[in-house]
Amino acid sequence: MSDIDAMASTPEAYALNPGKDFTRHRKISFKDLVLLPITMEAGTMRHELYKYFNYQEDTLSNSAYCQQRNKLAPETFKSLLQRFNSHFPPAPYKDKYQLMAADGCTFTFTRNPEDTISFYGPDGKSTKGFNQIHTVALYDLISRYYVNAKIQPIKKKNEFKALAELIDEYEHHDLMPIFIADRGFFAYNVFAHAIENKSFFLIRAKDKNMMRLTGSSIDELPDDLDISVTRILTRSASKKNRKQPDKPDAYRYICKAVRFDYLPEGSKDEYEITLRVLRFKITDPSYENIVTNLPVEEFSADDIKDLYNLRWGIETSFRELKHILGTGNFRSKKREYIEHEIWAKLILYNFCSVITQHVVFKRAKRKYEYQVNFTVAFNACHYFIRIKNGDSPPNIEGLIRQNILPIRPGRNYARQHRFQIPVSFAYRF
């Protein structure tokens, strides 16, 4: 709350039109305007306003709220997320690294054909069409909170660009970042951005990427591969322009359709990059391919496997973000306000996660190890943040401590890809 109070003391810094917006007294204060989207649940706008203001007769109208919300600058909630995170330094991995997972998550929102870069027309999924927005988030796997995000309309989705920008925006401190991502982020541009920012990366690769990178077919690669590969990237397809003609197999041509920020289009320069390439068997006949720049002296192949397995933490965080905190229950049709709501839920997630992790419970001798029931814990924290007007808060730590679940190792479930239609504004509770 202190961060919101600090922002409320200088509202002009977060106004879309400084010097004009937030200069007059309104029914809803700047503090409530920022806090309300964070605390909203799945109800309609009217229902949420009544709940927040304790069903008072003078509760502001939906229109009044929207008019005030429209005055907030796009970076308002991102700034609040960064303020909140600054109170909780990241937990280290091996005393000197910060594990950062990157992944994308798509949200469907209320049909708005006027927003052409997020709208898909009628197809097999929807008879009337639908809108979607894509979020690429950066998640601290040890501290269990979101660090940053890039939000893109679905037709402008570019995960390579998003991760490169997230790497550039990362604020270095005492810990060295290791960016971990799935195979959808394999790109020379991503590798180069991490290297140029003096960071480490660990990214899964498809078989076809491995073949292009190593110059060998998949059948020719050994079951356990851990090699260093140097490649020379160029924008020129002509062999005459090569500066190292004695290394023909090392060259990789980057066409103009592929983004590579360190070789502008038409450039005759070359970019040399050295990568560590690993391939290992998971289950017969499944293999995992990993490309990284982590030093072999400090990270063995088994360490690489363990690090990539930790990446699943961002997948479970998306599940909690969507289904426990109800991020998909938007109350807007315009994309810019959808972005506000996504940032607000990232803040709520971080708040709930930080509180949950600070709860200590007894680990009695049982068949299984136990963990916090995150559904109950997040709901309790969500309730806590809504309390105001001097109401006595419940014992949040006690509630979290009471609700734990066994960790049953070895469980696997096939991922289910299901298209979800956004819930109508009228049919919510």
Side-chain angles (χ1 to χ4, degrees), residues 166-226:
L166 289 170
I167 292 172
D168 290 343
E169 292 177 11
Y170 175 82
E171 294 184 6
H172 283 262
H173 37 70
D174 295 337
L175 301 179
M176 178 68 72
I178 301 176
F179 296 98
I180 306 173
D182 205 358
R183 57 189 181 181
F185 293 90
F186 180 98
Y188 285 119
N189 196 44
V190 172
F191 304 156
H193 273 266
I195 292 169
E196 295 294 332
N197 282 280
K198 297 179 172 58
S199 303
F200 292 108
F201 62 87
L202 190 159
I203 297 177
R204 185 183 172 197
K206 299 176 183 178
D207 284 348
K208 65 178 182 180
N209 297 135
M210 286 289 285
M211 290 190 291
R212 293 169 183 168
L213 182 59
T214 62
S216 303
S217 68
I218 288 298
D219 295 334
E220 294 173 340
L221 295 176
D223 289 352
D224 292 300
L225 177 71
D226 190 349

Side-chain angles (χ1 to χ4, degrees), residues 91-110:
Y93 173 78
K94 288 192 173 183
D95 297 325
K96 64 177 184 179
Y97 298 105
Q98 183 180 10
L99 299 187
M100 310 286 287
D103 205 356
C105 182
T106 299
F107 296 95
T108 303
F109 61 97
T110 302

Side-chain angles (χ1 to χ4, degrees), residues 323-337:
H323 302 295
I324 298 178
L325 299 183
T327 304
N329 297 303
F330 300 117
R331 276 152 291 272
S332 308
K333 290 181 68 175
K334 292 187 176 180
R335 185 166 27 88
E336 53 267 37
Y337 307 132

Side-chain angles (χ1 to χ4, degrees), residues 110-153:
T110 302
R111 181 177 180 272
N112 182 8
E114 295 180 1
D115 187 7
T116 55
I117 57 175
S118 71
F119 179 72
Y120 283 119
D123 59 7
K125 296 179 180 179
S126 172
T127 57
K128 294 184 178 180
F130 57 93
N131 291 69
Q132 286 188 327
I133 197 167
H134 190 73
T135 301
V136 176
L138 208 56
Y139 182 79
D140 189 309
L141 292 166
I142 305 298
S143 299
R144 289 181 56 87
Y145 59 60
Y146 289 99
V147 176
N148 200 354
K150 290 292 175 180
I151 303 175
Q152 306 166 328

Side-chain angles (χ1 to χ4, degrees), residues 74-83 148-150 169 343 347:
E75 298 294 310
T76 300
F77 290 97
K78 180 179 179 179
S79 177
L80 179 57
L81 179 84
Q82 293 169 342
R83 280 174 173 265
N148 200 354
K150 290 292 175 180
E169 292 177 11
W343 280 108
I347 294 167

